[in-house]
Amino acid sequence: MSFPRKTHWTKDVKPELDGKEVVLSGWVWDIRDIGNIKFVLLRDREGMVQLTIKKGSVPDSVWSAVASLNKEDAIVVRGIVKASKIAKAGVEVFPSEVYVVAKSKPLPIDIWGTVETDLDTRLRFRSVDLKRPINSLIFRVESEVTRAIRETLYSHGFIEVFTPKIIVTSTEGGAELFAVQYFERVAYLAQSPQLYKEELTASLERIFEIAPAYRAEKHNTNYHLNEFISVDIEEAFANYTDVMEVLEDVIVNVYGKVAEAFNDEFSKYGIEVKVPKKPFRKITYDEALGILERRGLKVNWGEDVPKGGMEILSEEFGEPFFIIHFPTDIRAFYTKPLESDPRISESFDLVIDGLEIASGSSRIHIKEQLIDALRKRGLNPESFESHLVIYDYGLPPHAGWGLGLYRLMMVLLRRDNIREVVLYPRDRFRLEP
Ligand code: ATP
Ligand code: MN
């Protein structure tokens, strides 16, 4: 079947186009019939517009095509725009051609009602679920978020790289790796690009990667998945405070760009994105423990700050904040200890709304120190040989962070479950679709 190509998104059909011809395409959201007039609400990715079809004023073929429409049929329409006082958007389109390009059966989930279907069922029919405008909005926002991240990082002199996701050994030494059969050997899915990005500082200096990371962790929470998108940066000739500033810029820009592009649309759904102010508050790990103790939560020195603790701290501060100077022993082996006190490290976590969004640090760039750090954690330096050799050839001091894109989406759009902001989430029990 041949049909003309879309000339406008529905959201761009404005009263100013009065009298102009447009070609629209999308899906039938709703049909209203008042005898000799039919109103079809046409939905595309960007919005909806009303089509008005009057019997007698259109060819019979158009009238009968419209009469046979079901909700969610895919159609292409050529028509004339009319400014209108009655139609909701102040505009309607009078079709002269209607092409029904795909028919739809009744949907397995309700995308029109005020009550949403349970998340399990929604995810089972994810592509159908995304027909609901509030649900597809999440992924239009996500695209804007990654654009803002890239723009910010480019403006700081970073370039985008791609490192392998099939690797021979753990980057951090944990056992939380998925094994894959790689011809005659066993390989693993990368849990992070950590070692590669550190090595690349020796030549490319400032790099970032936006790519999947795989963690074979069995925890079943609303903020962990087994596959997630990690935004990673690494900067040569820099320390943790430098890359914290980059991170602040990334966050402020993301919120700013999203607010600018979507706050009108968000208001329909009661979402409001408020742009945080730089610089973000920085509290040390020791200070955090003190505040938590006063609030009745005892965390022993040397334990990680639990989720509940981050929630209390966010209650206290509201805005995004950093926890800095974690005990060296609870951070990854490549984390650089503080020169003045090696028990604590040049490390940080970014927390927003009680959720860890990013972790970063200055890194050890001296080979002997790195070997010591590996040994201290019971890791065998020999299995890191191909990495360690790089430290012999002028690997500069460097620092970086990793940020969970989906965690950022959760706090940005105030979603409780990470699965809502992931198209096809992979968790302990979900491998399909
Ligand atoms: P957590 O303590 O929350 O399990 P982590 O400290 O183990 O996270 P990092 O190794 O610091 O995670 O990874 C960097 C960032 O990647 C985290 O700050 C978080 O935003 C994100 N992230 C880590 N693990 C997951 C996961 N399983 N699912 C989704 N995002 C994750
Ligand atoms: Mn972390």
Side-chain angles (χ1 to χ4, degrees), residues 191-212:
Q191 62 184 182
S192 117
Q194 184 65 32
L195 305 189
Y196 291 110
K197 65 176 181 168
E198 287 192 63
E199 294 182 13
L200 292 172
T201 60
S203 53
L204 300 176
E205 297 195 33
R206 297 181 193 185
I207 62 251
F208 73 97
E209 179 168 14
I210 302 180

Side-chain angles (χ1 to χ4, degrees), residues 280-295:
F280 298 168
R281 183 193 298 266
K282 293 166 190 79
I283 57 161
T284 64
Y285 171 85
D286 285 6
E287 286 165 353
L289 261 47
I291 296 171
L292 292 177
E293 181 147 24
R294 282 202 294 285
R295 296 278 306 257

Side-chain angles (χ1 to χ4, degrees), residues 175-318:
E176 298 138 356
L177 290 170
F178 287 110
V180 291
Q181 193 63 45
Y182 193 73
F183 304 109
E184 294 78 23
R185 343 191 240 166
V186 177
Y188 300 94
L189 295 180
Q191 62 184 182
S192 117
Q194 184 65 32
L195 305 189
Y196 291 110
K197 65 176 181 168
E198 287 192 63
E199 294 182 13
L200 292 172
T201 60
S203 53
L204 300 176
E205 297 195 33
R206 297 181 193 185
I207 62 251
F208 73 97
E209 179 168 14
I210 302 180
Y214 298 91
R215 307 236 169 137
E217 300 157 338
K218 283 187 179 155
H219 38 60
N220 194 4
T221 72
N222 281 346
Y223 49 96
H224 286 99
L225 287 174
N226 297 107
E227 178 183 67
F228 65 94
I229 298 298
S230 181
V231 179
D232 272 275
I233 79 155
E234 203 67 28
E235 177 173 350
F237 309 107
N239 70 12
Y240 69 121
T241 59
D242 300 317
V243 294
M244 281 162 77
E245 276 178 35
V246 176
L247 183 50
E248 284 175 340
D249 264 358
V250 164
I251 298 295
V252 168
N253 255 331
V254 162
Y255 276 68
K257 286 279 159 54
V258 167
E260 191 183 310
F262 291 102
N263 262 352
D264 278 353
E265 215 169 318
F266 286 160
S267 64
K268 276 191 269 181
Y269 305 109
I271 305 171
E272 198 195 344
V273 167
K274 288 205 186 99
V275 187
K277 296 235 166 15
K278 288 188 294 191
F280 298 168
R281 183 193 298 266
K282 293 166 190 79
I283 57 161
T284 64
Y285 171 85
D286 285 6
E287 286 165 353
L289 261 47
I291 296 171
L292 292 177
E293 181 147 24
R294 282 202 294 285
R295 296 278 306 257
L297 180 71
K298 174 83 184 136
V299 178
N300 292 318
W301 200 92
E303 283 170 17
D304 212 347
V305 180
K307 175 78 167 70
M310 293 197 217
E311 284 166 9
I312 291 171
L313 294 168
S314 276
E315 243 175 63
E316 190 105 0
F317 305 140

Side-chain angles (χ1 to χ4, degrees), residues 407-418:
R407 298 250 182 115
L408 179 57
M409 291 298 299
M410 285 175 76
V411 293
L412 187 67
L413 297 180
R414 299 183 180 280
R415 301 278 135 170
D416 299 331
N417 194 327
I418 193 168

